[in-house]
Amino acid sequence: YPEAMNEVESIRRLPGGEDFKVIYGVEAYFADNLVPAVNKSCDMELNGCFIVFDVETTGLNFNSDRLTEIGAVKMKDGKIVEIFETLVNPEMKLSDNIIELTGITNDMVEGAPKFEEVVADFYKFTRGAVLVAHNTRFDLDFLRKQALPLLYNFDNDSLDTMMIAQQYMKLKNYKLKTVCKEFGVEIENAHRALNDAIATARVFKKLMLLIKNKR
């Protein structure tokens, strides 16, 4: 900016330069470089075992809101080999905004199992695998908040496809829908946990191939 400002006067002295002016502005993309895309030291080769998962919740605050749905797929050698899906009774009413966003209603979760009834099965499903999610911190914060009092510690290595996309792609934003569109990945019935998990798995595979080609 100072260099541009200082150059203006010399340009204005040129023939026809009287009307020259500088329009100051900047286009910037921010990524929190203090949040790691990879937690611990897991191997990012696609021939490993990955659990790509997503959760739906009653809101955004993991301290006061609760899970309403868990969806996950197990990937081996880059292929989906097993799925996990369950609604979860949050033992609280869903807001109209959440119902509109997810399509999950109070009637749907009222008869669903409570978290303490499903956590053991999901814990078993994830053992020995790297956890993958789009914005992993959000999903793991909710999962761990409800699981730790029940003595289940989801301490797996983890990967965040959102953070990886921020490091290797230039997009207007890094929402799952935006990254999917860039890769030509379709999301059917977005904001349902299993559908988002499947879409994230496909994005994850494409991101790993992108990173491999850039090495």
Side-chain angles (χ1 to χ4, degrees):
Y1 282 1
E3 291 178 4
M5 180 187 67
N6 293 332
E7 191 68 21
V8 168
E9 291 304 320
S10 61
I11 294 175
R12 285 177 176 169
R13 288 194 291 269
L14 297 174
E18 296 86 355
D19 295 330
F20 182 86
K21 68 177 181 178
V22 178
I23 299 175
Y24 296 98
V26 63
E27 181 177 356
Y29 298 89
F30 292 92
D32 187 349
N33 61 4
L34 297 180
V35 179
V38 180
N39 180 43
K40 299 185 181 179
S41 57
C42 61
D43 184 359
M44 290 201 300
E45 295 297 327
L46 275 172
N47 58 2
C49 181
F50 301 90
I51 300 297
V52 188
F53 78 108
D54 181 72
V55 301
E56 300 301 330
T57 66
T58 60
L60 301 177
N61 188 335
F62 68 90
N63 284 311
S64 57
D65 289 301
R66 297 178 64 82
L67 298 173
T68 59
E69 189 174 37
I70 303 171
V73 296
K74 181 176 290 185
M75 290 184 71
K76 289 185 177 180
D77 299 321
K79 297 179 181 179
I80 294 175
V81 297
E82 193 175 352
I83 66 171
F84 181 97
E85 180 183 24
T86 183
L87 287 167
V88 180
N89 186 344
E91 302 179 80
M92 61 189 296
K93 290 293 183 182
L94 307 182
S95 69
D96 291 340
N97 288 338
I98 291 297
I99 293 172
E100 182 178 358
L101 177 67
T102 65
I104 299 172
T105 66
N106 286 300
D107 288 340
M108 291 169 64
V109 296
E110 185 176 355
K114 298 176 182 179
F115 181 76
E116 55 263 35
E117 299 175 275
V118 302
V119 62
D121 288 338
F122 189 56
Y123 183 79
K124 182 179 179 180
F125 186 75
T126 65
R127 286 302 83 194
V130 177
L131 295 178
V132 181
H134 198 76
N135 191 7
T136 309
R137 175 184 287 182
F138 177 88
D139 298 86
L140 282 179
D141 279 349
F142 271 91
L143 184 61
R144 289 168 173 164
K145 176 67 176 181
Q146 289 191 233
L148 283 175
L150 301 171
L151 303 182
Y152 290 96
N153 185 12
F154 288 85
D155 58 352
N156 311 50
D157 291 356
S158 64
L159 295 172
D160 189 335
T161 54
M162 184 178 73
M163 297 304 301
I164 295 173
Q166 286 181 344
Q167 293 175 19
Y168 286 91
M169 304 172 74
K170 290 185 177 180
L171 303 173
K172 62 181 180 180
N173 62 61
Y174 295 89
K175 296 178 182 178
L176 179 59
K177 183 178 179 180
T178 304
V179 181
C180 282
K181 184 177 180 180
E182 181 70 14
F183 280 134
V185 172
E186 293 186 7
I187 308 181
E188 297 181 3
N189 198 8
H191 295 296
R192 289 301 302 270
L194 182 59
N195 294 334
D196 283 1
I198 291 172
T200 302
R202 291 170 178 164
V203 163
F204 171 59
K205 184 174 180 178
K206 289 182 178 293
L207 281 170
M208 294 302 98
L209 293 174
L210 176 64
I211 294 172
K212 184 177 180 180
N213 291 334
K214 287 191 175 184
R215 286 176 178 172

